[in-house]
Amino acid sequence: MYNNFIFDLYGTLIDIYTNETKPYLWKKLSLWYSLKGAPYTPSALKSRYYILCEDLEKEAKKKTGREFPEIKIEEIFYLMFTEYQLEDAAQLAKTTAQIFRTMSIEKLSLISGVLKTLEALKKSGRKIYLLSNAQRVFTEPEIYLFSLNNYFDGILYSSDVGVKKPSLEFFQTLFTTYQLNKEESVMIGNDFDCDIIGATKFGIDSIYFYTGEFSKSFGRLPQRCKCIQKIEDVLNYLA
């Protein structure tokens, strides 16, 4: 039925749980900042981080008029260094973001059946794309960790585009960049609002990967949507 299979990432291909509230994270991150010449206390660093996230999102929304704007998270870490006028803030920001991500991760693994599914799609000659609400600085190393980069014909991160699902602009950017045809494409994801409703409004078919307690319950699926409970069931739509 389809030539282009467009996947969400987290909750669909990668199972992840992060905890950004634990005191240990902010204690160690404040030590890192202090060692680099920006002596924040753990509580001050945590507070400043969330304030800057909120401020940048509001600024992006006001500046662009987008309903679902996306910021680059490394800009937050950059700004927290520049508040202490550190000249190498830009170089430190990316490293700090990845340290932050590493310390926040409590669970990270491939969802069962993912490699089998992607390999089968590849062997069938289908094209595979990733459309993810994700920060490149966080996500790219995780994709390489599981060698998922070997399967994708195209990847689009929301942090690179400045907008995220369910924005139609994000979907359109993928289709324009890779010259995709709507009739030949399907979106697969576990987020009902972002993946399924977003795809439906954009005008493409979708497959809702319903993962029980981790997925939003639903009543009636959109007309152009199917539901699966195992990622391998995507292969049922090759014929």
Side-chain angles (χ1 to χ4, degrees):
M1 293 174 60
Y2 307 107
N3 289 323
N4 308 312
F5 286 75
I6 306 163
F7 286 90
D8 170 52
L9 183 63
Y10 296 115
T12 301
L13 302 179
I14 291 179
D15 187 10
I16 189 169
Y17 176 71
T18 61
N19 183 357
E20 298 177 356
T21 65
K22 52 189 177 185
Y24 174 84
L25 185 156
W26 296 103
K27 180 179 179 181
K28 291 300 182 182
L29 198 65
S30 70
L31 176 59
W32 168 257
Y33 265 88
S34 296
L35 289 171
K36 297 300 178 181
Y40 290 96
T41 65
S43 60
L45 186 67
K46 181 179 179 181
S47 175
R48 192 65 183 138
Y49 171 81
Y50 284 111
I51 288 172
L52 286 171
C53 283
E54 185 177 352
D55 287 349
L56 262 64
E57 287 175 358
K58 286 181 178 178
E59 182 181 339
K61 195 168 188 176
K62 182 178 180 180
K63 184 177 180 180
T64 65
R66 289 167 168 163
E67 185 179 1
F68 303 102
E70 181 71 286
I71 63 173
K72 286 189 175 182
I73 201 68
E74 57 263 42
E75 292 182 6
I76 304 298
F77 298 104
Y78 169 79
L79 289 172
M80 290 193 292
F81 278 119
T82 59
E83 287 177 353
Y84 281 88
Q85 300 180 337
L86 297 180
E87 294 182 358
D88 55 349
Q91 294 179 333
L92 287 170
K94 182 177 180 180
T95 301
T96 303
Q98 292 177 337
I99 290 172
F100 174 85
R101 176 68 160 190
T102 302
M103 289 193 296
S104 73
I105 291 174
E106 296 191 352
K107 181 182 181 181
L108 184 68
S109 63
L110 277 180
I111 286 176
S112 176
V114 163
L115 293 183
K116 173 186 174 183
T117 302
L118 296 179
E119 286 172 4
L121 289 174
K122 270 295 183 187
K123 287 180 180 178
S124 72
R126 267 56 172 196
K127 298 292 185 179
I128 305 173
Y129 299 93
L130 181 71
L131 188 68
S132 179
N133 286 354
Q135 296 289 324
R136 175 187 285 271
V137 70
F138 289 167
T139 302
E140 194 167 62
E142 294 163 11
I143 285 177
Y144 276 83
L145 174 66
F146 295 115
S147 299
L148 294 180
N149 54 294
N150 296 325
Y151 298 98
F152 294 122
D153 295 284
I155 294 175
L156 217 58
Y157 302 113
S158 57
S159 65
D160 288 348
V161 182
V163 68
K164 54 192 173 185
K165 295 176 290 185
S167 169
L168 303 188
E169 181 185 350
F170 195 28
F171 283 90
Q172 186 60 62
T173 301
L174 180 77
F175 275 68
T176 301
T177 301
Y178 297 103
Q179 299 181 331
L180 305 185
N181 186 304
K182 287 186 177 182
E183 287 70 29
E184 298 177 346
S185 306
V186 62
M187 177 78 212
I188 305 103
N190 75 313
D191 189 306
F192 190 78
D193 292 325
C194 292
D195 300 319
I196 307 309
I197 300 303
T200 300
K201 290 183 176 179
F202 183 63
I204 60 173
D205 290 359
S206 60
I207 298 174
Y208 184 30
F209 181 24
Y210 184 70
T211 52
E213 63 180 303
F214 299 106
S215 291
K216 182 178 179 180
S217 59
F218 59 92
R220 187 174 181 178
L221 288 172
Q223 185 176 2
R224 299 176 64 178
C225 178
K226 303 293 189 293
C227 183
I228 61 174
Q229 294 185 333
K230 297 185 300 180
I231 196 63
E232 300 101 307
D233 290 342
V234 166
L235 301 177
N236 294 335
Y237 301 97
L238 282 177

